[in-house]
Amino acid sequence: MNEKHLRNTFLAHPPVEKGGFNEFIKENLKDWITYANLKERIFNEYNISYPRRSWNKYIEVKNQAFCDGENDMYIAHSNKGYKITKDREEIEASIKHLDTMAKNMLKKESNAKKALNRSVDNG
């Protein structure tokens, strides 16, 4: 497989179940790390640019496995970045962070709908 095909496959389908990548992530997320720093480490290790959407999909799949009871590790997210954890307090704080982000998004949606309705009504 040529390098371009490998890179495109890697980007289109995050290597969620490939042991080497999972071990790499576990090692790099022992402590809090920002996405920018993690992206740089992934580039240095795999010589690819790992887009945020692929990273978000990786987290989604891994955290769903946690929710389904398939593993006991959770990728927590906060203003400090990302961290793999089993610590209940860190997981609860990450869940609270998700709740806050969701409420903020719903508020933005509501404000946009109100503005749209005002602009349609006026014009």
Side-chain angles (χ1 to χ4, degrees), residues 10 13-23 25 50 54-55 57-63 65 71:
F10 192 86
H13 306 285
V16 173
E17 297 307 324
K18 294 187 178 174
F21 187 77
N22 284 330
E23 292 306 314
I25 293 297
Y50 201 65
S54 294
W55 173 243
K57 184 64 178 175
Y58 180 86
I59 293 171
E60 180 183 330
V61 170
K62 295 311 262 184
N63 284 349
N71 68 51

Side-chain angles (χ1 to χ4, degrees), residues 32 76-78 88-98:
W32 292 103
H77 179 248
S78 77
R88 183 177 186 88
E89 289 180 12
E90 289 177 331
I91 295 170
E92 287 175 345
S94 182
I95 293 168
K96 184 176 180 182
H97 182 75
L98 287 173

Side-chain angles (χ1 to χ4, degrees), residues 30-47:
K30 285 182 179 178
D31 296 308
W32 292 103
I33 186 171
T34 64
Y35 170 74
N37 288 340
L38 179 63
K39 183 179 176 181
E40 181 179 342
R41 289 183 187 181
I42 291 171
F43 180 81
N44 291 338
E45 181 72 20
Y46 292 95
N47 196 30

Side-chain angles (χ1 to χ4, degrees), residues 61-74:
V61 170
K62 295 311 262 184
N63 284 349
Q64 186 60 50
F66 171 84
C67 293
D68 294 342
E70 296 170 8
N71 68 51
D72 60 351
M73 302 295 281
Y74 184 83

